[in-house]
Amino acid sequence: MAWMKFKVFAGLIAMAALVAGCVDTVTGQRTAGVPFIKDTIQARYEMPVEPVFEAARKVIAENGQLITEGTLYGQTNAVGNLVKTIKGKVDERTVYVRVEALDPKITGTEVQTRTASGVSDIDLAAQIDKEIALKLAR
């Protein structure tokens, strides 16, 4: 009987460890969150980094509050190691955006969202990504 209680208790502890944890953000930081769930939308644009970064910054500012923006150096990519990041709040969710030069003519973006409880909001990430694309099309 005691052995069965131990198994149930160990199973609950293992499940709690899987559910709660830390996740890496696209900005290079770590935050509390539920791992192993899709939380990032990726896109590529045939233009330089600066216009894409400006469009992403405007979208975050128009939809919510811009918290930080920055540049990461020394990242492992082949094009001058230029990676720009944005962190903001939209609809009480934290939004992380990474804008990276993949080659001289191609820029990649990653939009990641997390709720206050650490759960992904992939629909908001897709919406932000689509708004960035629409800003660039104008």
Side-chain angles (χ1 to χ4, degrees):
M1 186 67 156
W3 181 248
M4 184 174 288
K5 286 182 183 179
F6 175 76
K7 283 183 178 179
V8 170
F9 181 73
L12 289 174
I13 295 294
M15 191 172 357
L18 283 175
V19 171
C22 287
V23 293
D24 291 322
T25 66
V26 296
T27 60
Q29 303 169 331
R30 292 183 64 79
T31 187
V34 180
F36 311 119
I37 55 175
K38 182 175 170 120
D39 65 348
T40 306
I41 299 290
Q42 298 177 344
R44 293 181 182 212
Y45 302 99
E46 196 171 324
M47 54 182 42
V49 170
E50 286 307 318
V52 177
F53 181 73
E54 275 303 309
R57 196 171 65 71
K58 286 179 184 176
V59 166
I60 298 297
E62 289 172 0
N63 287 300
Q65 177 185 8
L66 187 65
I67 297 174
T68 60
E69 57 183 80
T71 304
L72 300 176
Y73 296 100
Q75 299 296 310
T76 54
N77 66 5
V79 185
N81 298 330
L82 182 60
V83 177
K84 294 195 167 211
T85 62
I86 299 170
K87 179 180 176 183
K89 285 280 194 183
V90 175
D91 295 336
E92 298 181 10
R93 278 125 174 92
T94 306
V95 178
Y96 305 93
V97 180
R98 177 184 184 107
V99 180
E100 180 174 8
L102 300 176
D103 73 37
K105 294 182 181 179
I106 305 291
T107 299
T109 62
E110 295 181 56
V111 180
Q112 182 181 38
T113 55
R114 289 284 170 171
T115 64
S117 60
V119 179
S120 168
D121 186 351
I122 198 69
D123 293 332
L124 179 62
Q127 175 191 336
I128 297 292
D129 179 59
K130 190 176 288 186
E131 288 183 28
I132 292 169
L134 289 172
K135 275 254 191 264
L136 291 170
R138 292 184 201 161

